[in-house]
């Protein structure tokens, strides 16, 4: 997850609400549209009358929604009362958009003890599996699939754990047996599984390809991992968690290219590979900080970019750190809308593999808006993965660990129940 960042709040809560494209409730066939529902747009065939207290407001030519509080709406300067009409076709979702391909949660534990300088303490890794005295990650995943409709889990692990401390590609088979048990539990649930090397572009404080392990070392790691799962199309390769303060973004793109080439040459020719940018893979600065331009040049060995998907993270708290209980933004104006436009213009897609907030009302509001926006733009966004379940303790501020009541009955945390579980969005 993000560690410490200083991010000024760029958008007032009120402006964020106005910009929101929200609840993906089905309103067709109803005579009035509930607050935040769609009420118009070029392809819209459903109801156009908002329920009492809301006003149908055009956000762009393709999308209008019911915004509560006509009085407050008119109090806002006209320049912010509705998003400007699209100035390029890249701002308009494809007609096919509307439903995300993936929704899921991180199952944390093997990454415990890893710091943002790429050190991972040998005693820190804690498998989220009961046979290794951890939480019941296997049961959690089965519950999330069966009861909530989830279909992806991200399984963070430190490079050091995989190779037992060596900055290379020789897998320690004893340690791998433990991690693979989590991957197999994920596969058994029927979901797709993201193998996430959780090292912040580093190994023991040094940056890959820029003073630390060479690109060949990094490629060797990914070659070994990919060989294990070459024939499994449910595996997604998460090349690296949250690079940050990487001095040369083009050299980092070379490191990512080395990993992609190694994965493909190991026989994993078609699975999704996630390409991470600088600045903690911030969705907000993916384009502005130069990650987009550098990483769009990464290709498969045949020169295509098929299933090379950008990895982006975003939290909803005041400094994008994912450490505060309260949420202050749905990230639409500052991050998701500009990113969607860039992706469409460049024919690419992104996957939001970390997001989250506290189990409080502000997060339920903003997260539901973020998820609805991502869904409305599912031509360029593959989905989201919440942070986090697995081995976190009950009461962790961003906890999404469900409670096991026995007899196969689980209770979700409030944010999962309200917004993140796909079944909750119907
Ligand atoms: C990193 O991202 C944060 C917002 O997520 C932003 O405030 C900061 O300026 C970014 N840094 C760079 C170098 O882009
Ligand atoms: C490899 O796994 C063993 C057994 O769980 C553990 O003791 C050791 O610390 C692990 N190595 C690293 C570097 O985490
Ligand atoms: C991205 O941010 C880094 C600081 O982290 C800065 O040195 C670099 O110039 C930025 N690159 C671009 C293209 O903005």
């Amino acid at each position: 997850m993000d560690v410490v960042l200083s991010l000024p709040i760029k958008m007032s809560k009120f402006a964020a609400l106005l910009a929101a494209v929200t609840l993906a409730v089905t309103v067709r066939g109803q005579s009035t549209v509930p607050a935040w529902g769609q009420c118009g747009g070029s392809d819209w065939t459903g109801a156009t009358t908002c329920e009492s207290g809301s006003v149908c407001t055009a956000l762009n030519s393709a999308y209008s929604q019911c915004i509560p509080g006509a009085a407050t709406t008119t109090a806002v300067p006209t320049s912010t009362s509705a998003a400007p009409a699209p100035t390029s076709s890249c701002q308009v979702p494809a007609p096919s958009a509307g439903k995300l391909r993936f929704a899921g949660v991180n199952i944390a534990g093997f990454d415990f003890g890893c710091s943002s300088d790429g050190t991972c303490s040998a005693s820190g890794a804690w498998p989220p599996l009961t046979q290794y005295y951890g939480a019941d990650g296997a049961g959690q995943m089965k519950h999330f699939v069966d009861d909530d409709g989830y279909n992806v889990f991200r399984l963070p692990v430190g490079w050091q754990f995989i190779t037992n401390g060596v900055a290379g590609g020789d897998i320690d088979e004893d340690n791998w047996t433990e991690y693979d048990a989590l991957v197999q539990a994920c596969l058994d649930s029927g979901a797709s599984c993201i193998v996430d090397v959780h090292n912040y572009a580093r190994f023991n404080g040094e940056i890959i390809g820029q003073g630390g392990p060479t690109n060949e070392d990094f490629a060797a790691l990914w070659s070994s991992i990919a060989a294990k799962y070459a024939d499994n199309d449910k595996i997604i390769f998460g090349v690296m968690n949250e690079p940050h303060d990487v001095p040369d973004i083009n050299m980092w793109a070379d490191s990512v290219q080395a990993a992609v080439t190694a994965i493909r040459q190991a026989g994993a020719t078609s699975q999704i590979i996630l390409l991470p940018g600088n600045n903690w893979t911030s969705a907000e600065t993916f384009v502005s900080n130069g990650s987009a331009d550098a990483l769009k040049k990464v290709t498969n060995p045949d020169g295509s970019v098929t299933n090379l998907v950008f990895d982006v993270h975003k939290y909803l708290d005041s400094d994008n750190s994912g450490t505060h209980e309260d949420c202050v933004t749905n990230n639409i104006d500052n991050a998701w809308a500009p990113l969607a436009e860039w992706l469409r213009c460049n024919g690419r897609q992104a996957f939001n593999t970390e997001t989250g907030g506290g189990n409080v009302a502000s997060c339920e509001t903003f997260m539901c808006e973020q998820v609805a926006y991502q869904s409305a733009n599912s031509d360029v966004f593959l989905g989201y993965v919440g942070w986090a379940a697995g081995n976190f303790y009950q009461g962790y501020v961003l906890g999404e660990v469900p409670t096991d009541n026995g007899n196969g009955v689980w209770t979700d945390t409030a944010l999962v129940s309200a917004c993140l579980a796909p079944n909750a969005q119907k």
Side-chain angles (χ1 to χ4, degrees):
M1 62 183 301
D2 279 15
V3 183
V4 185
L5 291 174
S6 60
L7 167 66
I9 305 172
K10 295 223 180 63
M11 186 167 49
S12 74
K13 181 173 174 176
F14 188 67
L17 281 169
L18 283 176
V21 173
T22 138
L23 294 176
V25 289
T26 302
V27 293
R28 279 160 217 244
Q30 293 180 10
S31 53
T32 61
V33 181
W36 304 113
Q38 185 171 0
C39 55
S42 39
D43 292 331
W44 182 245
T45 56
T48 55
T49 308
C50 296
E51 70 179 14
S52 173
S54 292
V55 175
C56 189
T57 305
L59 300 187
N60 56 50
S61 64
Y63 197 95
S64 302
Q65 74 176 157
C66 296
I67 296 184
T72 22
T73 306
T74 52
V76 171
T78 46
S79 61
T80 58
S81 65
T87 54
S88 93
S89 58
C90 299
Q91 291 173 344
V92 182
S96 60
K99 188 174 189 313
L100 293 168
R101 181 170 162 193
F102 293 113
V105 63
N106 282 268
I107 304 294
F110 278 103
D111 56 310
F112 283 15
C114 290
S115 303
S116 60
D117 65 354
T119 56
C120 295
S121 75
S123 58
W126 184 19
L129 292 166
T130 53
Q131 65 265 40
Y132 299 116
Y133 311 103
D136 184 8
Q140 291 177 17
M141 290 189 278
K142 186 173 184 330
H143 150 69
F144 280 124
V145 169
D146 293 351
D147 300 334
D148 291 336
Y150 277 168
N151 61 0
V152 69
F153 300 102
R154 183 169 178 259
L155 313 174
V157 61
W159 185 347
Q160 288 90 340
F161 185 83
I162 298 172
T163 56
N164 204 10
V166 180
D170 290 338
I171 287 182
D172 181 289
E173 293 299 336
D174 290 338
N175 289 34
W176 185 260
T177 297
E178 296 186 13
Y179 180 68
D180 183 58
L182 186 66
V183 177
Q184 297 305 326
C186 174
L187 292 169
D188 286 348
S189 78
S192 292
C193 311
I194 304 172
V195 176
D196 160 46
V197 176
H198 213 77
N199 278 66
Y200 304 89
R202 287 161 172 79
F203 193 96
N204 295 353
E206 296 188 307
I207 297 176
I208 296 164
Q210 302 186 43
T214 63
N215 289 349
E216 290 70 29
D217 295 328
F218 189 46
L221 172 72
W222 275 108
S223 180
S224 298
I225 296 172
K228 300 276 188 190
Y229 302 122
D231 296 329
N232 196 318
D233 64 7
K234 294 274 189 175
I235 299 288
I236 296 172
F237 300 102
V239 160
M240 181 54 62
N241 178 68
E242 297 191 349
H244 66 90
D245 301 291
V246 173
D248 188 324
I249 190 64
N250 292 309
M251 288 176 74
W252 171 245
D254 291 343
S255 302
V256 173
Q257 178 68 71
V260 168
T261 302
I263 290 166
R264 295 301 188 219
Q265 289 182 346
T269 55
S270 60
Q271 291 98 326
I272 292 171
I273 304 177
L274 300 175
L275 315 183
N278 211 348
N279 200 20
W280 316 88
T281 50
S282 165
E284 182 171 350
T285 62
F286 182 74
V287 175
S288 64
N289 194 229
S291 294
D293 279 339
L295 290 174
K296 77 179 182 190
K297 298 179 189 134
V298 174
T299 64
N300 294 308
D302 66 3
S304 74
V305 293
T306 307
N307 282 334
L308 302 184
V309 171
F310 301 117
D311 197 354
V312 291
H313 291 179
K314 202 81 189 78
Y315 288 88
L316 288 73
D317 55 355
S318 57
D319 61 359
N320 186 40
S321 65
T323 58
H324 303 92
E325 185 171 46
D326 292 320
C327 294
V328 302
T329 175
N330 56 26
N331 293 312
I332 294 172
D333 277 0
N334 56 328
W336 301 118
L339 179 59
E341 181 178 358
W342 185 91
L343 292 166
R344 238 174 244 122
C345 282
N346 287 275
R348 302 299 295 267
Q349 293 181 310
F351 196 167
N352 178 201
T353 64
E354 280 189 27
T355 190
N359 288 296
V360 296
S362 62
C363 293
E364 290 178 24
T365 299
F366 287 122
M367 182 64 83
C368 287
E369 292 170 2
Q370 174 174 288
V371 166
Y373 187 86
Q374 292 178 341
S375 300
N377 291 270
S378 65
D379 54 331
V380 289
F381 296 133
L382 261 59
Y384 57 85
V385 189
W387 185 270
N391 263 343
F392 282 104
Y393 54 91
Q394 293 287 335
Y396 165 56
V397 65
L398 261 57
E400 295 179 16
V401 179
T403 302
D404 183 358
N405 301 302
N407 302 320
V409 179
W410 297 74
T411 307
D412 281 315
T413 53
L415 193 60
V416 168
S417 297
C419 304
L420 293 168
N423 290 353
Q425 294 160 27
K426 283 180 183 147

